Amino acid sequence: MKNLYKPTIFLSALALSASLFSACTSNTKSTDNKNVTEQRDSLVDYVAHRLPIYEKVKLTTNINLLSVNDRKILPLLIQAAEIMDELYWKQAYPQRDSLLATIKDEKTRDFVNINYGPWDRLNNDKPFVTGVGVKPEGASFYPYGISKEAIEKSNLADKSGAYSVVRKDSTGKLSTVPYHILFASELQKASSLLKQAALITEDASLKKYLTLRADALVTDNFTASDYAWLDMKTNGLDIIIGPIENYEDKLFNARTSYEAYVLIKDKEWSKRLAKYVKMLPDLQKGLPVAAKYKAETPGTDSELNAYDVVYYAGDCNAGSKTIAVNLPNDEKIQQEKGTRRSQLKNAMKAKFDKILVPIAKELIDADQQQYIKFDAFFANVMFHEVAHGLGIKKTITGKGFVREALKEQYSWLEEGKADILGLYMVTGLLKKGELTGDIKDYYTTFMAGILRSVRFGVSEAHGKANMQCFNYFKEKGAFERTTKGTYKVNFDKFASAMNDLSAFIITLQGNGDKATVEKTQKTMALVPAELQTDLDRLTKKSIPVDVVFEQGVDVLGVK
């Protein structure tokens, strides 16, 4: 049973990396070790070059605003989140401890921890540990080396399940193991911590959610807790926890990864944002696409909230850090109830100050740098999340939900939809007088945001989405690259390109046209050489690509 719980997906690569790292640490000067030493030095140099792309940020907030009981609950939630971190390691790279034991270079160890494995997530999953090969598309969710066709042709009842892994025995027979069995011990501990927190809280809705979520972790039945989470209105603390996103499963985009966010609600900001969700039905009607693609009615019993995030764990902490969340992902719940869009305000501000502003100073035309504003950045990110609720969830061609029809092509296109429809929402709300500011602020900051996000690489869903947008807008003349190597927005063409791309993406989704989506990815989700040269300038200027957090109870000052 132990082999069942520790997948063999990376064992051959790990054995090689361990032997090479052992050889590399030898003090002998024999010529036999020369090539190995040179290889080690090149990898150490690579890590030394790549590690500074992450800016260290202390993740904290004013906990004095919390009640006494909430300050007691906070450490329990963080402990539960830490367990999600351990589970994500088991999904992304189960041999973490064995790998780290072979690595003597401290910077390489740090880089492994940031990436949750030996592949550079912000450089198209390039391996940076000696002897480690290409990152498996199926992570540890599937038997190593198995083809998509073998899974598709199998008679597994749960072949595309969100909460199970596929295993192969010595005879080659495939079976699935549910998460709640595979990780029973860890999930029981996390469940117990949530129930302890539920006993302490005085907020009835939070108590209900924590209790139901605790039960969900040990059963893989999350629907009731998702509804309870959406019903919470008065809570000051929040935790998003469990197997949620499917980005790590690049084979089928089906299996989910463990993660957690521990959040403290900013009630004043949340109150200011509440009105926008009610406007979704009218905005849906105005989408620049044929009527049959916008016939669905978005749920409006959603909340748009602002939070300070005080702990990231697992999937959301790997490589690029999430700054806004739109959940739950269940399309049935989205249609019936809506979603909650959570804006992670302190993390967002850190990225704006440390990354987006320096990028704009280098790559945005000097005459337009005045339009780079945090309020515009916040709104663009916020409406990206709101825009997940717009468009179409079920195909018009009888292929079921869009997610099911597009499979592994779904996530990147959906992120692209949210990017462009978020901008569409900003444009519409400004015209209605429901949003303040100059459209030039939003468009120019959006352009700078593209240049920020494409640095994540095109192996990641958001990177693919941003490259599609960049290349599409370039074709439409929505911006120009000046002779000085800076980017200048054409505001009129920006708006028309936004509408055209919106229609293009929604139509692809509504048709469930997987073949065309695949073709679009191959032709549009690419980084042109000229843009790469410009992005390299940012690296030479030591402008970070993303952030890495100093976080936990010690940073917050709670016990």
Side-chain angles (χ1 to χ4, degrees), residues 183-375:
F183 305 121
S185 176
E186 296 94 334
L187 292 172
Q188 189 58 56
K189 291 175 183 176
S191 177
S192 177
L193 287 163
L194 294 188
K195 288 189 174 181
Q196 289 179 53
L199 290 173
I200 297 172
T201 184
E202 296 171 333
D203 186 282
S205 62
L206 178 60
K207 185 186 293 288
K208 180 180 179 181
Y209 165 63
L210 289 174
T211 302
L212 289 173
R213 201 65 175 181
D215 292 338
L217 288 176
V218 295
T219 62
D220 292 329
N221 296 319
F222 292 95
T223 302
S225 63
D226 282 342
Y227 278 111
W229 184 68
L230 289 174
D231 285 337
M232 288 196 302
K233 309 293 183 185
T234 56
N235 57 304
L237 286 180
D238 198 353
I239 183 169
I240 297 170
I241 185 168
I244 298 170
E245 303 290 0
N246 50 24
Y247 301 126
E248 195 72 21
D249 178 6
K250 290 184 171 64
L251 199 63
F252 285 102
N253 205 221
R255 260 83 194 173
T256 53
S257 300
Y258 283 95
E259 66 181 348
Y261 306 81
V262 180
L263 307 166
I264 296 176
K265 185 185 290 185
D266 187 322
K267 294 185 178 180
E268 287 303 313
W269 270 71
S270 297
K271 187 176 180 180
R272 287 161 53 188
L273 304 179
K275 65 178 181 179
Y276 294 118
V277 173
K278 304 299 180 186
M279 301 176 185
L280 280 176
D282 282 342
L283 289 164
Q284 174 85 354
K285 291 175 185 176
L287 287 173
V289 68
K292 60 184 177 180
Y293 294 101
K294 55 183 177 181
E296 296 175 2
T297 302
T300 58
D301 190 23
S302 302
E303 282 200 58
L304 187 56
N305 294 137
Y307 298 87
D308 277 344
V309 54
V310 295
Y311 201 85
Y312 283 76
D315 187 73
C316 60
N317 195 44
S320 59
K321 309 302 185 293
T322 305
I323 52 178
V325 187
N326 177 54
L327 293 171
N329 286 327
D330 187 314
E331 288 92 346
K332 184 174 182 291
I333 297 176
Q334 289 179 4
Q335 287 186 318
E336 289 182 3
K337 190 82 170 175
T339 60
R340 173 174 289 132
R341 288 87 174 187
S342 305
Q343 314 303 305
L344 313 183
K345 187 164 59 71
N346 56 342
M348 203 180 294
K349 188 66 165 63
K351 290 200 182 190
F352 180 81
D353 291 340
K354 304 287 188 182
I355 303 172
L356 192 134
V357 170
I359 287 174
K361 288 180 179 178
E362 182 66 24
L363 293 184
I364 296 297
D365 188 77
D367 291 340
Q368 295 186 344
Q369 288 181 18
Q370 61 185 304
Y371 302 128
I372 303 297
K373 305 281 181 63
F374 176 69
D375 284 352

Side-chain angles (χ1 to χ4, degrees), residues 63 93 104 126 157 169 342 364 410 426 436 539:
I63 63 169
Y93 196 82
K104 306 304 179 186
K126 180 177 180 177
D169 65 18
S342 305
I364 296 297
Y410 170 80
V426 165
T436 59
T539 302

Side-chain angles (χ1 to χ4, degrees), residues 476-493:
K476 297 291 184 178
F479 63 83
E480 64 172 304
R481 186 179 183 273
T482 70
T483 56
K484 295 179 180 179
T486 59
Y487 292 82
K488 188 171 185 177
V489 173
N490 182 314
F491 297 108
D492 292 334
K493 291 183 178 180

